[in-house]
Amino acid sequence: MNVDGKHYRTIWIHPEHSGIIQIIDQTKLPFQFKVVNLDTLASAEAAIVDMQVRGAGLIGATAAFGMYLAAVHSDEKNFKTELIEAGKRLINTRPTAVNLEWAVQKQLMQISNCKSREACIETTLITAKAIAEEDADMCKSIGVHGARLIEKIHSEKNGDVVNVLTHCNAGWLAFVDYGSATAPIYQAHDSGIKVHVWVDETRPRNQGGRLTAWELSQHGVPHTVIPDNTGGHLMQHGLVDLVITGADRVTKTGDAANKVGTYLKALAAKDNKVPFYVALPSSTFDWDISDGAKEIPIEQRDGSEVRRMSGLYKNEEIEVMILPETSRVANYGFDVTPSRLISGLITEKGVCRANESEIRKLFN
Ligand code: MRU
């Protein structure tokens, strides 16, 4: 996607040093556009934990490159043992998005066939690049399939603006390129369909307000940032035609974990007969589980994210306390929307209903 007219992906290999991976530091957006170097396993781990990179697809790709960096610095004799350990460390960085484990397992499978450390460095680089390419390709296809839904509503509204509500950031910043929930929006917008996006600000880290709004601005897509609790009111008044969110893990039966607050949007959508779609690449399916609410691990993050907020003051980003210091806080990162509330899943292979047999028809 473009940043000030220049094309960027969210992760890439340093043009002059193959042992350095570059990322956009998302903790600084939208106030500062900063590119950061990752050159060790520890730096890749820290980037995921501190959320310099975030979003299901991107943490998967970062973990894949993290395995490559671990291979580069591994010991001639113990490289396999070290890389198995590196995989464990990366998987433990964030528990909910399954793409991370998926990418590490892909790397470990390749590593198991390596006869030497050199072969391992080469193969982990090839695999990481392939994972990143595949992620971008899948998101592009999600855009094509999802745009048809927007197009249909557009013609039902006789060419009037289609209002899409989204939660958190499932945009290109959450993947390698295009995004999942935003890909259909970009595709529709680029093909001349009038789209407007309601952007949930998404407390506590404000990924909607900080990241989705920034992305949409860069791409020229009309949007309005709303406090998280506004969606129900908008739906009651016919101001939302469609909800599209991303997902961090989807069960084989179609239950979807996404940023906390998504479930409430799905309930409001159901009550107001607003279609609610979840967009995801197939790397976000967890084929081993059926009951999302019981089986998907929900990350709990530090309370400081709830207690404090940061923003721009006199051109500098500062953090302020927003709660009584003694109050307890809870910070669940995600919630699970049961498949019965989901109108459909938008995947790289097409749109299907959120149930096991329809999902299986698309993905054998
Ligand atoms: O905690 P984050 O920012 O990594 O959460 C991920 C998200 O932005 C959302 O849950 C998103 O909708 C799904 S990731 C494609």
Side-chain angles (χ1 to χ4, degrees):
M1 300 299 289
N2 289 341
V3 179
D4 296 330
K6 183 171 172 209
H7 181 263
Y8 279 93
R9 281 188 165 182
T10 52
I11 190 162
W12 63 92
I13 300 160
H14 191 292
E16 281 141 36
H17 305 281
S18 62
I20 297 179
I21 304 303
Q22 297 194 293
I23 55 162
I24 299 165
D25 182 352
Q26 300 194 18
T27 62
K28 302 277 186 251
L29 289 172
F31 308 121
Q32 197 188 338
F33 184 81
K34 187 175 170 202
V35 172
V36 164
N37 290 343
L38 308 179
D39 53 4
T40 57
L41 166 67
S43 63
E45 263 183 295
I48 298 173
V49 170
D50 299 339
M51 293 177 71
Q52 289 177 305
V53 288
R54 34 138 316 273
L58 181 56
I59 58 178
T62 308
F65 280 110
M67 291 296 285
Y68 159 65
L69 293 173
V72 169
H73 297 283
S74 64
D75 179 78
E76 194 73 49
K77 286 194 189 126
N78 295 322
F79 70 93
K80 278 199 187 172
T81 322
E82 284 183 14
L83 288 170
I84 291 170
E85 200 45 46
K88 283 187 196 148
R89 279 169 58 174
L90 286 161
I91 288 172
N92 285 335
T93 50
R94 295 199 68 193
T96 302
V98 76
N99 304 57
L100 208 160
E101 190 175 342
W102 171 87
V104 169
Q105 294 302 351
K106 271 197 161 192
Q107 285 285 32
L108 288 174
M109 204 137 75
Q110 297 300 328
I111 290 163
S112 67
N113 298 321
C114 288
K115 300 268 181 290
S116 67
R117 177 179 161 269
E118 274 57 46
C120 188
I121 294 172
E122 194 185 332
T123 214
T124 48
L125 180 59
I126 292 172
T127 308
K129 280 184 184 169
I131 286 173
E133 274 318 309
E134 191 187 6
D135 182 89
D137 287 348
M138 290 193 288
C139 286
K140 194 171 182 190
S141 302
I142 288 170
V144 173
H145 296 300
R148 294 202 190 107
L149 299 168
I150 298 177
E151 216 175 295
K152 186 162 171 276
I153 297 172
H154 189 242
S155 71
E156 283 162 7
K157 288 184 84 177
N158 296 319
D160 205 356
V161 181
V162 180
N163 290 296
V164 184
L165 185 141
T166 191
H167 189 68
C168 199
N169 174 265
W172 73 271
L173 288 167
F175 288 87
V176 173
D177 209 344
Y178 304 103
S180 56
T182 54
I185 295 168
Y186 291 131
Q187 175 74 25
H189 173 83
D190 291 349
S191 62
I193 292 170
K194 284 188 263 169
V195 209
H196 164 263
V197 186
W198 295 110
V199 179
D200 279 354
E201 68 175 345
T202 321
R203 279 283 292 145
R205 290 185 68 103
N206 294 334
Q207 290 98 323
R210 293 183 67 126
L211 305 178
T212 306
W214 178 77
E215 269 192 32
L216 293 171
S217 304
Q218 290 291 332
H219 202 83
V221 179
H223 61 278
T224 307
V225 179
I226 47 174
D228 288 331
N229 299 325
T230 315
H233 169 79
L234 295 175
M235 291 183 209
Q236 254 177 354
H237 290 80
L239 296 170
V240 181
D241 297 305
L242 169 74
V243 180
I244 311 180
T245 73
D248 296 84
R249 189 184 295 232
V250 175
T251 65
K252 63 182 175 188
T253 54
D255 295 342
N258 193 49
K259 184 53 59 191
V260 72
T262 304
Y263 176 34
L264 292 177
K265 294 296 134 66
L267 286 169
K270 186 77 166 179
D271 196 43
N272 291 284
K273 299 186 176 53
V274 173
F276 182 98
Y277 283 88
V278 173
L280 71 149
S282 51
S283 49
T284 301
F285 280 111
D286 185 335
W287 302 106
D288 293 332
I289 59 172
S290 311
D291 186 333
K294 283 202 187 121
E295 294 176 275
I296 297 178
I298 299 295
E299 178 181 11
Q300 290 193 52
R301 296 188 58 87
D302 200 276
S304 60
E305 294 182 347
V306 179
R307 287 180 207 283
R308 304 195 191 125
M309 255 183 131
S310 68
L312 209 58
Y313 178 72
K314 293 189 179 167
N315 273 333
E316 221 180 281
E317 192 166 349
I318 59 156
E319 217 176 56
V320 293
M321 189 78 181
I322 57 166
L323 305 177
E325 222 159 316
T326 49
S327 296
R328 287 171 59 184
V329 294
N331 190 8
Y332 294 90
F334 302 90
D335 61 22
V336 174
T337 300
S339 58
R340 64 175 183 278
L341 300 177
I342 300 172
S343 314
L345 303 174
I346 309 171
T347 75
E348 76 271 16
K349 294 220 174 162
V351 180
C352 70
R353 284 185 191 281
N355 65 54
E356 190 164 356
S357 68
E358 294 286 316
I359 295 169
R360 288 243 171 254
K361 271 188 211 157
L362 274 191
F363 294 96
N364 288 325

